Amino acid sequence: MTDVDLEFARVRQVLDRPTLRLMSRPTSAAVVSVFRTVFDRDVQYVPADRMHLQVEEHVARLQATGARVPAGDSPTGDVPVGEAPRPNGRSLCREWVAAQWLVRSNSPDGDEQYSLTSHALEALSLIDALSAERALISESRLAMIVDAVHRWAARAEPDRDTQVRRLDAQIAELQAERARLASGDEVVTVDADRMRDGYANITDLIRQLPSDFKRVEEAVATMHREIVEDFRQEVRPIGEILDGYLARTDNLMESTPEGRAFQGAFELLRDDALLLRLRDDITTILEHPFAGSLSASERRTFRGTVGILRQGIEDVLAQRRMLTATLRDQIVAHDVVRDRELDAVLRSVNRGLAAWMEVGSARDRVPLGLLPPSAAVGTLREKFYDPDAESVPPPIEEPDDDVFEEIDVESLRRHGGPLLAELRHVLAGGSAATSVDAFHELPAEQRRPVELFGLAHLLTGHDDFESGTASAPHRTVRPDGEPVTFQMPTAALPRGGGTTHPDDEPGQEAR
């Protein structure tokens, strides 16, 4: 093959990737807009039912504005004449799953949900990078490249003396800068334009993080699927199978390029002090005067960089834990003999079906006994004979009318409500100066605790009683003879005037 043939094959392979297929279709603008609207930076998983409804609404809105949208089956199948069919969200999501732009999985609760693949995230990141207004070649980007090359060159230097000279030069430079600042010289900070340029380079790298983490998740899932598939076709002894596959699981993150890259990033991000310093540095950048021109969304996204790192690592580790558990269950529950028997039965069924298709026609019918005949088993006794179940119940006893004591009217009055007539009489005709003194003039059988409710009812309207400024002990006697003292406000009584309640009629008594 010539050079142009090799380049053509390589370019065609790249253009066939799902990322570029998503961006090269005539309906790419609509599909990417729907993905950007449904999956923002705070939403990674969307329930299936909600996803179908949102896709239908967003695509229908774009279709109404004249945008070119992907075709889909109408939800009802009834399309008015002259109108474009309304796309079906379920069928569109199914097409996007087949195109490797969406992943349909189960949530921890067992519900179906959608998430973007690494190809879709990479396309969204590329669109964000192209839509940002920035220079491709800038001082901050070149400085970042030079610093990275210098740092890794220092780590790759095998000569001890050379490394010592590098460190001495860095120490001397830092000490000179510290001495300058300590002597009172002016603190030099970058201007807003250079700061914005550096911020653009940083955000460009941050936009690539979700797709990188998602690519690691997909690599882990692919690796486990290959292990499970190889395990099902294995014919070696079970002990050798366990040793081999457990070793491959332990070295899972070191067997793929994505796994090795994530392992290095994971070791770096396990340092809590490093993440804390990163959070403080982000806060310092946002306190620069140039940050006043950033929108609230840009500030919130930049401030959530640490959260993106933590969430990406947690998603990869959760995927690895889940698939490792699945692999462990597969290893424990795997039965080689049973799988071989099932495989032999299925192959025999396929052979019989192929032989029948050679001689049969489309209208031929073959009776198949899908279920075995029912077993002829006699009725079994469900319970034994119980003599008590057939015995006659005992006769109902007649109640004894003499078990209740005789109750007279006075006994009922002792356990009834307050005696308002007696209370009104002692308040109106007594010589007491206060209501508490008048209450204590009553005999013991008329100073029950319930009488305090009647006393409060009769004293309603007196300012000194309702304000409660004066409280006095009221000694009562229960019907069984037990004395009880209550604290209650009291009121002054006019000499010979008494007191009445506006709702009481003469001679009325509460029972």
Side-chain angles (χ1 to χ4, degrees):
M1 297 179 65
T2 62
D3 294 341
V4 66
D5 294 332
L6 294 175
E7 289 297 330
F8 178 78
R10 185 178 65 86
V11 172
R12 186 174 61 180
Q13 182 180 3
V14 172
L15 292 178
D16 288 339
R17 294 181 59 183
T19 301
L20 294 181
R21 284 193 284 105
L22 173 59
M23 302 180 62
S24 60
R25 288 192 173 187
T27 60
S28 297
V31 177
V32 173
S33 300
V34 171
F35 286 167
R36 175 62 69 196
T37 304
V38 176
F39 297 95
D40 56 14
R41 293 191 179 274
D42 298 330
V43 177
Q44 297 183 0
Y45 299 94
V46 178
D49 296 338
R50 186 192 305 172
M51 181 72 180
H52 298 157
L53 293 177
Q54 289 183 344
V55 168
E56 287 184 8
E57 293 297 330
H58 295 329
V59 174
R61 181 179 296 275
L62 294 175
Q63 187 179 25
T65 60
R68 188 166 182 178
V69 299
D73 300 332
S74 175
T76 59
D78 300 330
V79 182
V81 179
E83 295 186 7
R86 180 185 176 94
N88 188 355
R90 184 183 298 275
S91 63
L92 288 177
C93 291
R94 190 184 303 113
E95 295 176 2
W96 295 342
V97 169
Q100 301 182 27
W101 301 335
L102 287 179
V103 175
R104 188 164 184 170
S105 58
N106 292 330
S107 65
D109 298 334
D111 300 329
E112 293 184 340
Q113 60 185 7
Y114 287 100
S115 61
L116 295 177
T117 63
S118 61
H119 307 292
L121 291 173
E122 188 176 5
L124 298 183
S125 175
L126 182 58
I127 290 177
D128 291 341
L130 295 177
S131 62
E133 297 181 359
R134 62 178 179 84
L136 296 179
I137 299 178
S138 61
E139 178 186 359
S140 63
R141 180 167 290 249
L142 293 178
M144 186 181 300
I145 295 174
V146 172
D147 292 341
V149 172
H150 180 74
R151 184 173 63 255
W152 286 105
R155 295 184 179 182
E157 179 59 52
D159 186 35
R160 181 181 295 102
D161 296 336
T162 304
Q163 288 194 5
V164 170
R165 286 195 301 269
R166 287 176 180 269
L167 294 176
D168 290 340
Q170 294 179 3
I171 292 173
E173 182 180 356
L174 294 176
Q175 287 180 346
E177 180 65 17
R178 183 185 183 281
R180 188 185 67 83
L181 295 176
S183 62
D185 291 349
E186 181 182 359
V187 178
V188 179
T189 58
V190 297
D191 55 8
D193 293 337
R194 297 175 64 186
M195 200 69 188
R196 176 177 290 277
D197 184 46
Y199 165 80
N201 291 328
I202 296 174
T203 54
D204 188 23
L205 297 175
I206 294 174
R207 279 193 295 264
Q208 302 175 15
L209 291 176
S211 61
D212 293 340
F213 283 119
K214 181 61 70 172
R215 192 175 293 107
V216 177
E217 290 186 49
E218 294 173 355
V220 173
T222 303
M223 185 66 181
H224 275 81
R225 284 196 298 269
E226 293 175 355
I227 292 176
V228 173
E229 185 64 25
D230 293 342
F231 185 82
R232 291 174 179 174
Q233 299 177 0
E234 195 60 65
V235 294
R236 293 179 297 170
I238 187 64
E240 186 178 350
I241 295 174
L242 292 176
D243 294 339
Y245 283 98
L246 290 178
R248 291 183 63 183
T249 303
D250 294 337
N251 299 326
L252 177 63
M253 300 307 294
E254 300 178 0
S255 58
T256 60
E258 295 85 356
R260 289 191 296 268
F262 172 78
Q263 194 70 20
F266 179 67
E267 294 295 334
L268 182 64
L269 295 177
R270 287 175 62 184
D271 189 357
D272 293 336
L274 178 64
L275 293 179
L276 181 60
R277 188 181 66 183
L278 176 60
R279 185 180 289 108
D280 294 339
D281 292 341
I282 291 175
T283 303
T284 302
I285 294 175
L286 292 178
E287 290 176 354
H288 193 274
F290 97 96
S293 61
L294 299 178
S295 63
S297 176
E298 291 175 339
R299 295 173 64 91
R300 183 174 63 254
T301 302
F302 188 62
R303 196 181 298 276
T305 301
V306 178
I308 294 176
L309 295 175
R310 291 187 180 275
Q311 185 62 40
I313 292 176
E314 181 59 30
D315 291 342
V316 174
L317 295 180
Q319 182 77 4
R320 187 170 65 175
R321 288 193 298 266
M322 180 181 65
L323 295 177
T324 302
T326 303
L327 178 62
R328 183 180 62 250
D329 296 341
Q330 174 68 21
I331 293 175
V332 173
H334 184 64
D335 190 347
V336 179
V337 177
R338 184 179 59 184
D339 290 350
R340 291 178 181 175
E341 292 177 353
L342 178 60
D343 186 64
V345 171
L346 293 178
R347 279 198 297 268
S348 63
V349 171
N350 290 332
R351 287 194 300 269
L353 182 61
W356 177 75
M357 291 294 294
E358 293 178 356
V359 297
S361 62
R363 297 182 178 275
D364 290 344
R365 295 179 179 273
V366 177
L368 297 177
L370 298 180
L371 297 176
S374 59
V377 179
T379 303
L380 300 178
R381 184 178 297 277
E382 297 180 357
K383 61 180 180 179
F384 296 99
Y385 173 74
D386 186 5
D388 295 336
E390 300 182 3
S391 61
V392 180
I396 300 176
E397 297 181 358
E398 295 294 335
D400 189 1
D401 296 336
D402 297 336
V403 297
F404 301 103
E405 299 179 355
E406 293 291 340
I407 302 177
D408 54 2
V409 178
E410 293 300 328
S411 298
L412 292 176
R413 284 173 60 90
R414 284 198 305 269
H415 293 83
L419 305 176
L420 294 181
E422 288 78 355
L423 290 172
R424 187 180 294 108
H425 176 73
V426 72
L427 292 176
S431 59
T434 60
S435 60
V436 63
D437 296 336
F439 180 75
H440 290 156
E441 291 179 358
L442 293 171
E445 62 272 10
Q446 297 180 8
R447 285 190 287 111
R448 300 171 300 160
V450 72
E451 307 298 344
L452 296 180
F453 291 98
L455 182 62
H457 175 71
L458 296 176
L459 293 178
T460 301
H462 289 262
D463 295 337
D464 50 354
F465 175 77
E466 292 186 352
S467 61
T469 56
S471 179
H474 291 64
R475 296 184 297 275
T476 62
V477 181
R478 290 179 175 175
D480 58 359
E482 180 184 358
V484 183
T485 302
F486 296 94
Q487 293 290 336
M488 178 176 167
T490 183
L493 300 178
R495 295 292 182 179
T499 180
T500 59
H501 193 273
D503 295 336
D504 292 336
E505 297 180 359
Q508 184 180 3
E509 179 179 300
R511 298 298 181 191

